[in-house]
Amino acid sequence: MRPTDLSSAGLPRETPQRGPGATVRRATAALGLVLLAATATVACQPVQKCNGYTALCDRAFDAVAYPTTHNAMSNAAEGWAGPNQEYGITRQLNDGVRALMLDTHYNVGSLTAPDAPTDVPLLCHAYCQFGWKPLRDGLGEIKTFLDTHPNEVVSIIFETYVTPADTAAAFSQSGLSAYVTAHAANAPWPTLRQMIAAGTRLVAFTDSGGGSYPWYLDVWAEAFDNPYSAKVPADLVCTVNRGNGANRLFILNNFLTDPVARRPLADQVNYNPFLVTQAQTCQTARAHLPNFVTVDFYNRGNLFAAVKTLNGV
């Protein structure tokens, strides 16, 4: 039966809707479709995470705790003598370390490395004969990590025995200079989200030559630490060692040296409840979140769990 035969068959013919009521119904339906589409679009957008957690995105840089490796360049995997860490820089970053203590030297003095260059800055621990890597190469590893992890903020704390100019050259040669952030001492820090949006996701501190460049920050104008020459757990105290206790950043040294770093020593202080209790005790004593929770052999113990507790995530 054709549509035109409906009335002749005694069936009601559908008539088009007219009038203000129909217009409202059509507008309401259209609005519903728009809202549905918008909701679907929002649902498809991933929630940003900063250093692994959405809760950290809108916190200022100095309101976040970071897993930190002491003498990060000195590691067993690459054959360093008397290492402080098990693995190299790339593995540390991939595992979740977000701040690295690095020592820079020239290959000079009584314990030089015969196979190392003498005219470029190197990552060495006191004496390059114990292990070395060109500073440019170590910074290149950090640059590669930042390239492939766009929502991560990383810091370096240098113990420096090379010139600021040579350090800056290594940053430029490695490409890491594209990520550095400038900061004036005692000025408020941006949030992690702001640093990520600006692309300035690398913070570089130094104990020598700070201020030579806007991004090469004087660590003791920005931070303070507790004593680091501890042989037994009872030696780890919360008093201010270097820097001013009113500075915005707190470096918590939580490692033992007797006479060098060793795994059994790390096992005494890297595990909870000792590690998290020590950090919280110092947080109370100094009225400041420990920003850089610094350990030897980070892979042993509960560094990451302790930092999560401090961050409340």
Side-chain angles (χ1 to χ4, degrees):
M1 182 182 294
R2 298 192 306 273
T4 53
D5 295 329
L6 289 174
S7 58
S8 60
L11 298 175
R13 178 180 295 176
E14 183 177 344
T15 59
Q17 296 181 348
R18 294 184 176 87
T23 302
V24 170
R25 285 192 292 274
R26 287 195 298 272
T28 301
L31 179 59
L33 290 174
V34 170
L35 292 175
L36 181 62
T39 302
T41 300
V42 171
C44 291
Q45 293 177 344
V47 176
Q48 183 179 12
K49 295 182 178 181
C50 305
N51 280 30
Y53 300 95
T54 57
L56 300 183
C57 287
D58 293 315
R59 295 187 194 175
F61 175 78
D62 59 328
V64 178
Y66 307 93
T68 305
T69 43
H70 175 230
N71 290 330
M73 68 286 163
S74 175
N75 69 92
E78 296 174 349
W80 291 57
N84 292 80
Q85 306 298 334
E86 204 73 59
Y87 308 113
I89 290 171
T90 295
R91 171 71 180 268
Q92 292 176 35
L93 292 170
N94 286 335
D95 283 350
V97 169
R98 291 297 173 266
L100 308 151
M101 287 186 169
L102 299 174
D103 294 5
T104 58
H105 291 263
Y106 297 112
N107 186 32
V108 297
S110 58
L111 292 177
T112 59
D115 56 339
T118 58
D119 58 347
V120 297
L122 305 177
L123 293 173
C124 304
H125 185 205
Y127 303 102
C128 294
Q129 194 176 84
F130 297 156
W132 63 275
K133 173 180 288 192
L135 174 59
R136 175 191 60 208
D137 293 354
L139 298 181
E141 293 185 56
I142 300 171
K143 194 261 185 184
T144 297
F145 176 82
L146 291 175
D147 286 346
T148 54
H149 296 79
N151 291 319
E152 303 300 310
V153 174
V154 173
S155 300
I156 302 172
I157 304 171
F158 283 114
E159 182 178 331
T160 306
Y161 300 93
V162 305
T163 67
D166 280 349
T167 301
F171 268 80
S172 179
Q173 293 160 5
S174 68
L176 191 56
S177 56
Y179 286 112
V180 295
T181 185
H183 184 258
N186 298 316
W189 283 93
T191 66
L192 298 195
R193 189 191 304 277
Q194 290 169 332
M195 296 172 75
I196 289 167
T200 52
R201 299 187 284 119
L202 189 283
V203 186
F205 301 98
T206 179
D207 66 348
S208 177
S212 300
Y213 304 96
W215 55 267
Y216 199 41
L217 310 181
D218 180 346
V219 66
W220 304 128
E222 300 272 6
F224 66 93
D225 74 347
N226 63 317
Y228 59 86
S229 298
K231 292 185 177 181
V232 297
D235 293 338
L236 293 169
V237 294
C238 304
T239 55
V240 175
N241 180 34
R242 297 170 292 184
N244 187 319
N247 288 346
R248 290 181 177 271
L249 295 164
F250 180 11
I251 300 171
L252 179 69
N253 294 310
N254 194 85
F255 49 84
L256 304 179
T257 307
D258 187 21
V260 296
R262 292 182 286 119
R263 295 168 184 83
L265 295 176
D267 289 345
Q268 295 181 50
V269 296
N270 281 16
Y271 284 87
N272 290 336
F274 182 91
L275 176 56
V276 72
T277 299
Q278 177 68 8
Q280 291 172 333
T281 297
C282 289
Q283 180 174 7
T284 299
R286 301 268 56 90
H288 198 299
L289 174 73
N291 299 106
F292 301 104
V293 183
T294 308
V295 301
D296 287 330
F297 297 104
Y298 75 94
N299 57 302
R300 305 172 75 92
N302 305 113
L303 172 63
F304 301 112
V307 169
K308 285 177 63 177
T309 297
L310 292 173
N311 282 328
V313 295

